[in-house]
Amino acid sequence: MTSYFRNWLTGTTSDPVPTLNRVSPPPENDDEGSDTATEGDDDTPPAFPSLSSAQRVQSSTPRILTDSQLMPPPPLPHLVQRTPGADREAHSGNPSSSLTVLETTQRPAKPSKNRKVALAPGHSPLDWANLKTSGKDLRGVEMLSRIPPSVLKQHNKRDDAWAAFYGKVYNMTPYLAFHPGGERELMRVAGRDGTKLFASTHAWVSVDLMLDACLVGFLVPEPSS
């Protein structure tokens, strides 16, 4: 004990001064759970397919198509408009050949001839309607009568033209100048029954409405002797 105090007073000790050493834990083994800890901290999804997979190696980079490749332009007109059985050489070197008239096996039917004629001033359908309502006598008879074909046949002149339509006899004389087809066409049925001709050319026209003011009688069979 005496020697210890002596050494303490002199500043030297025989025993070493204890020191504090920091000891780090041993390194973790990479094979034991290191992957699990890393996956828990990283939220990045894995690449699919894998970067080293056979699908990714065999696949090629996708090609971006242009507008012309997505929807190609239409073919030239001279390559589309062709008549079946026509010579292709006639269309092959001339782009403007599509504008030419293509021949067909049958000629188109000619339009029907217009039967209307130029009417004199004051003889339009409106003028005829005004004439009917004017109160002028257009019948030329005092009363309606029963008219056989033999009597009807006598009225076949321009100044005295009668005709029968659907069993009724009309005095067509005042209407001749108002007929859109002309007087000549209307005189074809003067003095006879014109129902068949009228139905084939004016099926949409009401003869009763057109010639109601010109009614003179009714067509009847010939009286028996």
Side-chain angles (χ1 to χ4, degrees):
M1 187 67 178
T2 304
S3 61
Y4 175 79
F5 284 107
R6 187 181 296 110
N7 294 333
W8 182 76
L9 292 175
T10 57
T12 59
T13 58
S14 59
D15 296 333
V17 180
T19 59
L20 180 63
N21 295 329
R22 182 180 298 275
V23 179
S24 59
E28 297 180 357
N29 190 1
D30 295 339
D31 297 337
E32 296 180 359
S34 60
D35 294 341
T36 305
T38 303
E39 293 177 359
D41 298 336
D42 189 4
D43 295 334
T44 305
F48 182 82
S50 178
L51 299 178
S52 59
S53 64
Q55 293 88 345
R56 186 177 292 275
V57 174
Q58 295 178 359
S59 63
S60 59
T61 304
R63 185 180 61 174
I64 300 177
L65 300 179
T66 60
D67 294 340
S68 60
Q69 292 174 336
L70 292 175
M71 181 176 293
L76 297 177
H78 70 279
L79 298 179
V80 177
Q81 298 180 1
R82 290 179 177 174
T83 304
D87 188 6
R88 294 186 177 182
E89 295 180 357
H91 301 277
S92 59
N94 186 9
S96 63
S97 61
S98 61
L99 302 178
T100 59
V101 180
L102 301 179
E103 296 183 358
T104 57
T105 56
Q106 296 180 356
R107 291 184 177 274
K110 293 183 179 180
S112 58
K113 184 178 179 181
N114 189 2
R115 298 181 179 180
K116 291 185 178 182
V117 297
L119 300 177
H123 292 79
S124 65
L126 182 59
D127 295 327
W128 173 250
N130 294 332
L131 180 61
K132 289 197 306 177
T133 58
S134 63
K136 185 178 179 179
D137 183 18
L138 302 179
R139 290 188 173 94
V141 295
E142 295 181 358
M143 57 182 302
L144 301 180
S145 59
R146 300 165 61 91
I147 304 172
S150 59
V151 177
L152 177 63
K153 187 176 180 180
Q154 300 174 5
H155 301 272
N156 58 355
K157 300 178 178 60
R158 289 185 179 273
D159 57 349
D160 184 20
W162 289 10
F165 301 101
Y166 301 103
K168 296 181 180 180
V169 180
Y170 300 92
N171 181 13
M172 303 186 304
T173 307
Y175 182 69
L176 289 176
F178 294 87
H179 185 232
E183 297 182 9
R184 182 177 180 181
E185 290 295 326
L186 197 57
M187 286 298 297
R188 294 175 57 187
V189 295
R192 66 185 184 92
D193 189 356
T195 303
K196 184 176 181 180
L197 182 60
F198 182 87
S200 62
T201 56
H202 303 82
W204 61 92
V205 178
S206 174
V207 65
D208 291 333
L209 183 62
M210 187 67 63
L211 300 176
D212 54 347
C214 302
L215 182 65
V216 294
F218 300 92
L219 184 64
V220 296
E222 290 289 343
S224 57
S225 57

